[in-house]
Amino acid sequence: MSRAESEQQQKDMANFFKGKGVFKPLNTGFIDEKVGCIREYVANIFFYTKNGTTIMIDAGYNYPRLKEKMEWLGINPLDIQHILITHQDTDHVGAVEQDSDQMFNHAQLYMGEIEYRYIKGEKKRKVYYGFYKLPQVIIDNPIKLIKDGDIFYINDIKIEAILVAGHTWGHLVYLIDDTYLFTGDTIWFGADGGYSFLNVLAEDNKLSRKSLLSLKNKMLSRNLRPLVITGHTGWSDEFDRIFSHVDRSCNAWVKQKPVDVNAPYDAYDETDDTPQKAKTERLKKQQFIG
């Protein structure tokens, strides 16, 4: 998707979602000493640092302020050698698309082999119940294809890829060091717990919900309770609340109920995302009610 197409998508989505309380992006800053976050409109990208190695999780929009906000966190784009891609939607791969500023053209990408079919043009990305097809994404970076259940290491960072299909056919989530679960667009945090992500953007909502239940059971069977970090609605360590409504999808057509008082009216308004906050305030977890 070109930069012009990305900008148009941003305008269209801003109008559609305004006032509905659907998007609740974190501001730029740090969740803890290992996980940094950058806000790009309604989306978040993340950085995981361990023993001098920093990896990037998703590449966000084709976003003009990315380098500026990385400076707020003290991260040099040239130091990013590895980028994990949850899925190929343009708000998750924009910074490595052919029409981007190419700040990361030196980086190795990791992507699911199923998801790669979109990149090759074998599958068309469909949203709004299949009525709208998104333009093909073009990426020139080297891509290492991975599959469900693959475990690999980047230096001493352990990464496990888990297929959670539905939003896209090949959507992966990444469990890092058995402690942090980066979920992209699979889980949506409402005021009263986690749901399957937005109904209007899924390839298959029923499959999304089935995949989330499988993910929950997989974590339970291994006695894992990771900190869960979403692409658009923040993070939480309250495992039971995170998966409390995954049998339902977020209905993006309507204003959300119950109302989350912390949800911005216009999530594309970034005026409260400042370098001072990024450097002095830790990013708070989602506060569930009820």
Side-chain angles (χ1 to χ4, degrees):
M1 182 179 290
S2 70
R3 174 164 289 182
E5 288 168 328
S6 294
E7 291 173 351
Q8 185 59 49
Q9 183 189 84
Q10 179 260 320
K11 293 176 183 177
D12 293 341
M13 289 182 67
N15 290 328
F16 180 79
F17 289 109
K18 192 175 293 183
K20 292 188 172 73
V22 168
F23 289 113
K24 298 175 284 186
L26 295 167
N27 278 332
T28 302
F30 288 93
I31 291 174
D32 59 18
E33 67 280 356
K34 289 185 176 179
V35 181
C37 168
I38 284 179
R39 177 178 179 178
E40 299 183 346
Y41 307 126
V42 298
N44 288 127
I45 62 174
F46 300 96
F47 301 88
Y48 182 82
T49 301
K50 179 181 177 184
N51 296 333
T53 298
T54 297
I55 62 174
M56 186 171 171
I57 299 93
D58 281 332
Y61 283 99
N62 195 334
Y63 181 69
R65 298 182 64 195
L66 178 53
K67 184 177 181 181
E68 172 196 346
K69 291 189 177 182
M70 288 181 73
E71 290 175 353
W72 297 359
L73 302 183
I75 301 174
N76 187 335
L78 294 176
D79 292 336
I80 303 301
Q81 301 295 322
H82 305 275
I83 304 176
L84 309 180
I85 302 297
T86 60
H87 64 296
Q88 63 85 61
D89 284 353
T90 196
D91 56 334
H92 292 259
V93 298
V96 293
E97 288 188 38
Q98 195 175 72
D99 190 42
S100 71
D101 293 332
Q102 293 295 305
M103 288 192 298
F104 308 104
N105 59 1
H106 56 281
Q108 171 79 63
L109 306 187
Y110 301 78
M111 178 183 292
E113 57 184 11
I114 299 173
E115 197 71 8
Y116 188 59
R117 296 180 65 192
Y118 292 110
I119 303 296
K120 291 193 296 182
E122 295 177 0
K123 294 287 292 182
K124 289 287 188 180
R125 173 70 170 110
K126 299 177 182 178
V127 295
Y128 294 97
Y129 308 105
F131 290 108
Y132 184 70
K133 297 178 181 178
L134 298 179
Q136 184 178 352
V137 168
I138 307 297
I139 296 174
D140 295 325
N141 289 62
I143 298 175
K144 180 177 177 60
L145 297 182
I146 51 182
K147 61 183 182 297
D148 181 31
D150 277 356
I151 296 174
F152 57 99
Y153 287 80
I154 297 174
N155 294 337
D156 62 347
I157 299 173
K158 179 186 177 183
I159 301 164
E160 180 177 353
I162 303 170
L163 178 65
V164 184
H167 179 71
T168 63
W169 297 118
H171 194 303
L172 294 177
V173 301
Y174 294 100
L175 180 64
I176 296 184
D177 286 334
D178 292 327
T179 303
Y180 300 87
L181 186 63
F182 293 89
T183 62
D185 289 359
T186 58
I187 298 176
W188 177 85
F189 287 161
D192 59 344
Y195 294 71
S196 180
F197 198 66
L198 313 189
N199 55 354
V200 298
L201 300 181
E203 295 274 13
D204 187 324
N205 281 294
K206 184 177 180 179
L207 178 59
S208 293
R209 297 189 291 268
K210 181 179 178 181
S211 296
L212 279 177
L213 180 59
S214 176
L215 176 66
K216 175 185 178 180
N217 290 336
K218 185 172 294 186
M219 295 297 104
L220 288 172
S221 69
R222 295 165 57 182
N223 199 28
L224 293 174
R225 302 293 188 276
L227 189 154
V228 172
I229 303 170
T230 74
H232 298 275
T233 55
W235 70 275
S236 177
D237 57 3
E238 299 180 52
F239 187 86
D240 291 338
R241 302 303 301 275
I242 288 165
F243 290 94
S244 58
H245 302 294
V246 295
D247 59 335
R248 298 162 58 190
S249 300
C250 170
N251 183 1
W253 292 105
V254 300
K255 185 175 181 178
Q256 299 307 299
K257 294 181 181 180
V259 174
D260 189 335
V261 296
N262 295 313
Y265 176 78
D266 182 2
Y268 285 87
D269 180 358
E270 299 178 299
T271 54
D272 63 338
D273 192 28
T274 67
Q276 181 179 5
K277 288 183 178 181
K279 296 173 182 177
T280 61
E281 299 179 9
R282 285 289 169 91
L283 300 172
K284 297 178 180 180
K285 68 180 183 181
Q286 169 71 27
Q287 296 296 313
F288 297 118
I289 62 174

